[in-house]
Amino acid sequence: MAALSAADLPVRSRLLETRWQDGKLVLRGYAYIRNLDASVRRRSLKAAVLTSGRRRLLLPLRTVPAPEATDASDQEQHCYDWSGFEITVDPARLRRGGRWSAGQWRIGVTVATSGVVRTTEVRAGDTGSAASPAPLPLGDGMRLVPSFDAGRLRLGVEPVDVRLAGHRALDDDTVELRTLNGGKEQPHTLRLTHRASGTFLEYPAVCRPADPAGQPGSVVTSRFSLADLTAARAAFDAEAHEAPEAPGGSVVWDVAFTLTDGSTRIAVDPSAPQGRYAGGPGRELVLGATPAGDLELRDRTPRPVADHVEVLADGSLLIEGELPAATAAGAELVLRHGTHRARTVFPVTSHGDRFSITFRPVEAAPAEGRWHLHLRTKAAEDAERRTADAETPVHVAPSAFPALPLLLAGGDLALDRHRHDRLFLDAGPAVAPEDRGPYRGRLLRERHYPRSRARALRDTVLYSSFEGRQYSDSPRAVHEELVRRDAALDHLWVVRDARVQLPPTARAVIHGSAAWHEALARTRHLVTNTHLPAWFERRNGQRVLQTWHGTPLKRIGHDLAGTLCADLPHLWPQPGRGHQWDVLISPNPYSTPLLRQALGYDGEVVETGLPRTDVLFADDRDKLAEEVRNRLGLPAGKRVVLYAPTQRDDRVYDDRHYRLDLALDLAAAESALAADHVLLVRAHPLVADRVPVNGGGFARDVSGYPDLAELLLVADVLVTDYSSVMTDFANTGRPMLFLTPDLDHYRDTVRGFYLDFEGRAPGPLLRGTDDLIGALRDLDSVTRESAERYARFHTAFCPLDDGLAASRVADLLLSDRA
């Protein structure tokens, strides 16, 4: 192995938390030398030095665990769990000769690991107090202000000459500021400086001596005009000093007093409430504090500002705060994912200019990632405008900063702030902290999994549907058949997170956890509809049934060669994993050779039919359909249209999250069809985005419904494109329409087909929303014209679907075949 060079050994540091404790600043974070192990305390020796000019102070530092460092390093070879530090800064040590002296201080951390020594500065975190620390009054007219310069922590000892004492509206246009001046010079004017352009407005400052019983110095009173600020904002937009304001954006003014030589900022007590004044139609002017604790003025759309956050006894999250009454009426809380176009909506209770939100984050079951809190008003009816123009971020008042981060659901969820004062919900992985990250994942597969394989097999069945994304598909049908038979087996189900709801007959095993690795090693039977991990090895006595997830109509696996998918790293090359299975379930004779070829499988194939279609033949299917209708709240007398397009492989966020790409114009469909139709929209399981329905009742997002098969029971018409769900639905005999505006691109570039799709599709191929609306309006004619093709399609692809496929698979699983 080649020796590591100095360039291979940079030092990494990050601040995780700042807090004031007993008048001292405590900094918690981590620092490590990359590629050098810090798995035990003695391998990570650290020291911290505070520097200002020629002054150097050695700071108390404790080495503490920081598993976050290993997880965030995004590599699997090295452990940095003991790279954590806790540094204590006593402001009293910054005095010189017993007096405060203004100046900037830098904090350096020196790390020694395996004989290598490196020094770094403490780098900012990206959320909460690690990104926006609070200042601390020091007394004697001074304060300590933590800040960041190019991401590096600085501690500033600063004089506080002027402090805000109060503010009030004198009339609809005039706001008065009352400040206390302890500086040597009396202010001349109040200056409001537009941060983006540098343009300023000035107003007189009136100084008078402080009351004899009050603070020393003087009281400075100044007044400014709200109309001036509104007019200035309009002028700035017209002169393009800044881009036209985005919905909910802010125009920021710095507030200071001018002096004979320079100016002085106005300090604000963090516990003081913000001042909120009307700023014209749909605007407010807010007096508040910068992260450094100085007065600023923001001209913005009215925003909710939370001043109280709390976890209730039942695990619910309570958020309370201020919002202008006119805005609060009928508002909703929107949790919006920071990366994907996914969102969850909750009602908001308003009382005058106060709002209250109570919801259970666990029940919301947000996917992993950051969920930003927004308030959505009822002002706009259009779905796209309601999710953008009418939404404003939820801010948090500085007085509530100490309550954050607020841990929920045992620590898997946390309410915190970013961008200084905006609330977000951080949903961590469902995997326990001790199993998270690439490094610990490697240990699980290289150590824990082999050790577990050496232990005896257990009489369990491990089911996996879409790699833990759902309780659905053919694995569900097989599970329910085995339960019906009262087989002497324990049933384990792979889940990625709490969104997968299981029946009492199955026990959850979290994907990626130690329990998951052990289950893969020790379960006697395994039923999956997708690939297993590349490192999985089927052992003697273990039965692995691959049900796959539908009839292959579009190309898959090795047959993607020559398509766009061949160049997409999340799809190609797909290593052959057929050796992991001992039986491949084929839904029909057509599929058998295609699955063998595409999946690189040369073992036993059994043609059983597709177990997930059994529900369409069940004796109680009408009863189940009625239950599904009631669950979804479908109105009687309206035609139910299920729109279930497949994913687009060239529209992805990453290998696990696809983008939503709807060919259907939902607004146009609603306008034309809402009177007598209901539209159920089902995104593919890999799609991370939510369907942008407007809540009016016509279009319903059923992507989160547990099982697609149950939706087929209630659908009067299926609208799809290239999804294999068409072969399932053919068993119902009900009409199918194919919305395929990108057919040429999909066929010739993205995926391609195994069959002559245009010639064999069991329904018309439609190029746009208008064509679909027309087909639904004349469905009887469309059905007659497609009848012959429909019948041929059913004969070719559904010959074995009879409601007993899961029974045949269960027979295989329980047989003595190896």
Side-chain angles (χ1 to χ4, degrees):
M1 177 178 175
L4 294 173
S5 67
D8 297 318
L9 301 172
V11 64
R12 299 282 188 261
S13 73
R14 187 176 186 183
L15 193 59
L16 298 175
E17 176 193 16
T18 66
R19 66 181 187 273
W20 293 103
Q21 183 174 310
D22 300 326
K24 298 177 182 179
L25 177 62
V26 180
L27 308 172
R28 185 176 65 87
Y30 60 77
Y32 62 85
I33 301 173
R34 199 180 72 176
N35 296 328
L36 295 183
D37 185 80
S39 59
V40 294
R41 184 195 296 264
R42 67 177 181 273
R43 290 186 178 178
S44 182
L45 305 178
K46 293 179 284 290
V49 175
L50 194 61
T51 305
S52 179
R54 295 182 178 181
R55 292 189 68 189
R56 292 169 59 85
L57 302 175
L58 185 65
L59 298 175
L61 181 149
R62 287 195 312 125
T63 293
V64 297
E68 305 97 323
T70 305
D71 300 345
S73 65
D74 198 27
Q75 53 76 46
E76 61 180 31
Q77 296 301 317
H78 306 286
C79 178
Y80 306 123
D81 284 2
W82 276 97
S83 63
F85 61 72
E86 192 169 275
I87 301 170
T88 302
V89 181
D90 184 352
R93 297 185 63 197
L94 308 185
R95 291 173 177 263
R96 173 175 287 181
R99 302 176 61 183
W100 295 112
S101 177
Q104 286 281 323
W105 294 80
R106 296 180 290 111
I107 297 182
V109 176
T110 299
V111 184
T113 302
S114 301
V116 179
V117 180
R118 293 284 187 273
T119 298
T120 183
E121 294 187 69
V122 177
R123 312 279 309 193
D126 61 353
T127 62
S129 63
S132 182
L136 177 72
L138 298 175
D140 300 328
M142 303 294 285
R143 65 180 179 180
L144 183 63
V145 180
S147 62
F148 296 98
D149 179 10
R152 297 173 176 87
L153 180 63
R154 299 288 185 265
L155 301 181
V157 178
E158 303 176 354
V160 180
D161 292 334
V162 183
R163 292 182 293 108
L164 181 68
H167 52 81
R168 60 174 179 164
L170 298 182
D171 52 43
D172 291 341
D173 179 54
T174 307
V175 174
E176 180 182 82
L177 300 181
R178 182 175 178 272
T179 58
L180 300 176
N181 176 34
K184 296 179 180 179
E185 182 181 349
Q186 298 291 3
H188 299 300
T189 61
L190 176 71
R191 176 175 289 182
L192 308 182
T193 304
H194 183 236
R195 191 174 293 174
S197 67
T199 304
F200 60 85
L201 303 172
E202 284 192 343
Y203 301 91
V206 179
C207 304
R208 60 179 176 79
D211 295 335
Q215 297 288 332
S218 61
V219 174
V220 183
T221 304
S222 52
R223 299 172 180 177
F224 62 88
S225 167
L226 299 176
D228 289 350
L229 296 170
T230 301
R233 174 170 51 84
F236 295 145
D237 290 342
E239 295 171 12
H241 281 301
E242 57 189 274
E245 186 183 353
S250 297
V251 176
V252 184
W253 299 81
D254 292 317
V255 184
F257 283 120
T258 62
L259 304 173
T260 302
D261 185 14
S263 62
T264 181
R265 299 296 299 270
I266 302 171
V268 181
D269 181 350
S271 64
Q274 293 181 328
R276 310 184 75 165
Y277 301 96
R283 306 290 296 184
E284 67 174 357
L285 292 165
V286 180
L287 282 167
T290 67
D294 293 323
L295 186 63
E296 69 174 8
L297 180 64
R298 289 186 175 266
D299 179 348
R300 67 189 189 190
T301 53
R303 305 280 182 90
V305 178
D307 51 30
H308 178 76
V309 295
E310 179 185 359
V311 180
L312 303 180
D314 65 351
S316 297
L317 175 61
L318 171 65
I319 302 175
E320 296 176 318
E322 289 186 349
L323 183 68
T327 305
E332 298 170 318
L333 173 70
V334 179
L335 289 182
R336 182 177 290 278
H337 197 277
T339 303
H340 315 136
R341 288 187 299 164
R343 64 182 184 273
T344 305
V345 180
F346 302 94
V348 173
T349 302
S350 60
H351 304 282
D353 61 356
R354 298 286 299 173
F355 74 89
S356 175
I357 305 163
T358 304
F359 68 99
R360 287 179 56 82
V362 173
E363 293 178 357
E368 181 180 340
R370 291 184 181 176
W371 293 80
H372 302 288
L373 277 67
H374 294 255
L375 215 67
R376 184 171 72 184
T377 69
K378 298 286 189 180
E381 292 300 324
D382 177 77
E384 290 300 320
R385 287 191 297 124
R386 282 188 64 200
T387 57
D389 294 358
E391 288 185 10
T392 54
V394 178
H395 293 251
V396 58
S399 59
F401 285 3
L404 302 174
L406 188 63
L407 300 183
L408 308 103
D412 291 336
L413 296 170
L415 184 71
D416 207 347
R417 59 186 175 96
H418 73 123
R419 297 177 64 179
H420 181 54
D421 68 345
R422 295 192 182 186
L423 281 179
F424 75 97
L425 192 66
D426 190 9
V431 176
E434 59 269 21
D435 297 339
R436 290 178 187 170
Y439 173 78
R440 276 172 266 279
R442 179 179 66 82
L443 296 185
L444 287 171
R445 69 176 181 268
E446 292 183 0
R447 299 181 186 179
H448 183 66
Y449 175 69
R451 284 198 298 264
S452 297
R453 288 186 85 245
R455 302 173 65 188
L457 288 170
R458 295 182 297 199
D459 288 329
T460 57
V461 186
L462 179 66
Y463 305 88
S464 178
S465 180
F466 299 107
E467 299 180 277
R469 291 178 175 85
Q470 295 180 349
Y471 173 68
S472 68
D473 209 74
S474 292
R476 173 180 177 175
V478 175
H479 167 68
E480 292 176 351
E481 174 63 19
L482 291 173
V483 170
R484 186 187 67 79
R485 296 186 184 192
D486 198 22
L489 296 165
D490 288 331
H491 302 273
L492 310 177
W493 199 281
V494 179
V495 301
R496 284 195 176 268
D497 52 43
R499 290 176 295 173
V500 183
Q501 298 295 307
L502 300 180
T505 53
R507 178 159 53 90
V509 176
I510 297 175
H511 188 282
S513 67
W516 176 69
H517 286 79
E518 182 175 0
L520 286 170
R522 301 188 62 195
T523 189
R524 189 173 298 279
H525 307 282
L526 203 156
V527 181
T528 182
N529 68 352
T530 51
H531 286 294
L532 296 171
W535 43 263
F536 171 79
E537 296 180 37
R538 175 166 52 92
R539 57 188 284 195
N540 290 335
Q542 210 168 28
R543 309 290 311 281
V544 181
L545 274 65
Q546 172 61 262
T547 69
W548 205 239
H549 46 275
T551 296
L553 304 177
K554 53 184 181 288
R555 292 187 195 177
I556 60 173
H558 294 294
D559 294 332
L560 294 174
T563 70
L564 174 64
C565 291
D567 297 321
L568 299 176
H570 59 282
L571 286 176
W572 186 264
Q574 179 66 258
R577 302 184 191 176
H579 64 280
Q580 298 174 328
W581 324 322
D582 59 299
V583 177
L584 171 62
I585 302 303
S586 173
N588 48 58
Y590 158 86
S591 298
T592 299
L594 297 178
L595 290 173
R596 277 193 180 278
Q597 171 186 309
L599 301 179
Y601 178 71
D602 58 6
E604 182 180 10
V605 177
V606 180
E607 295 173 356
T608 63
L610 195 59
R612 72 186 188 191
T613 65
D614 286 359
V615 68
L616 303 176
F617 298 89
D619 292 339
D620 62 348
R621 61 184 180 274
D622 292 336
K623 177 184 176 183
L624 178 57
E626 186 61 28
E627 292 174 357
V628 175
R629 284 179 172 273
N630 292 336
R631 203 175 302 151
L632 297 176
L634 299 179
K638 289 191 175 184
R639 177 185 288 160
V640 178
V641 180
L642 174 62
Y643 177 37
T646 194
Q647 82 277 15
R648 294 304 187 267
D649 301 295
D650 54 346
R651 298 274 295 156
V652 302
Y653 294 103
D654 53 48
D655 61 345
R656 289 173 45 203
H657 303 95
Y658 283 57
R659 297 178 184 272
L660 182 67
D661 189 21
L662 295 182
L664 177 61
D665 184 332
L666 298 180
E670 180 173 16
S671 178
L673 300 170
D676 50 6
H677 289 73
V678 175
L679 180 68
L680 307 181
V681 185
R682 172 81 168 193
H684 188 276
L686 289 174
V687 170
D689 301 335
R690 295 288 178 90
V691 178
V693 298
N694 64 11
F698 166 70
R700 319 279 183 91
D701 181 8
V702 294
S703 305
Y705 192 86
D707 200 346
L708 175 59
E710 292 184 356
L711 298 176
L712 301 184
L713 285 173
V714 302
D716 299 308
V717 185
L718 173 67
V719 178
T720 186
D721 41 26
Y722 321 113
S723 171
S724 65
V725 71
M726 69 181 78
T727 61
D728 301 37
F729 197 71
N731 289 297
T732 69
R734 299 173 196 150
M736 285 188 268
L737 306 174
F738 296 87
L739 187 57
T740 57
D742 62 344
L743 174 59
D744 296 341
H745 177 62
Y746 196 88
R747 178 195 61 219
D748 301 333
T749 304
V750 178
R751 278 256 189 172
F753 301 101
Y754 288 116
L755 76 167
D756 174 11
F757 181 76
E758 288 128 302
R760 301 187 70 176
L765 306 184
L766 309 172
R767 286 290 182 175
T769 299
D770 290 343
D771 293 342
L772 176 63
I773 292 171
L776 288 169
R777 285 294 181 206
D778 193 19
L779 194 59
D780 290 343
S781 298
V782 170
T783 302
R784 286 194 299 271
E785 292 171 5
S786 304
E788 187 175 339
R789 274 185 300 157
Y790 199 120
R792 289 198 301 267
F793 185 89
H794 181 266
T795 299
F797 299 109
C798 309
L800 303 177
D801 293 340
D802 58 2
L804 298 174
S807 179
R808 290 188 280 269
V809 174
D811 288 342
L812 281 172
L813 186 142
L814 296 174
S815 71
D816 292 331
R817 305 164 86 176

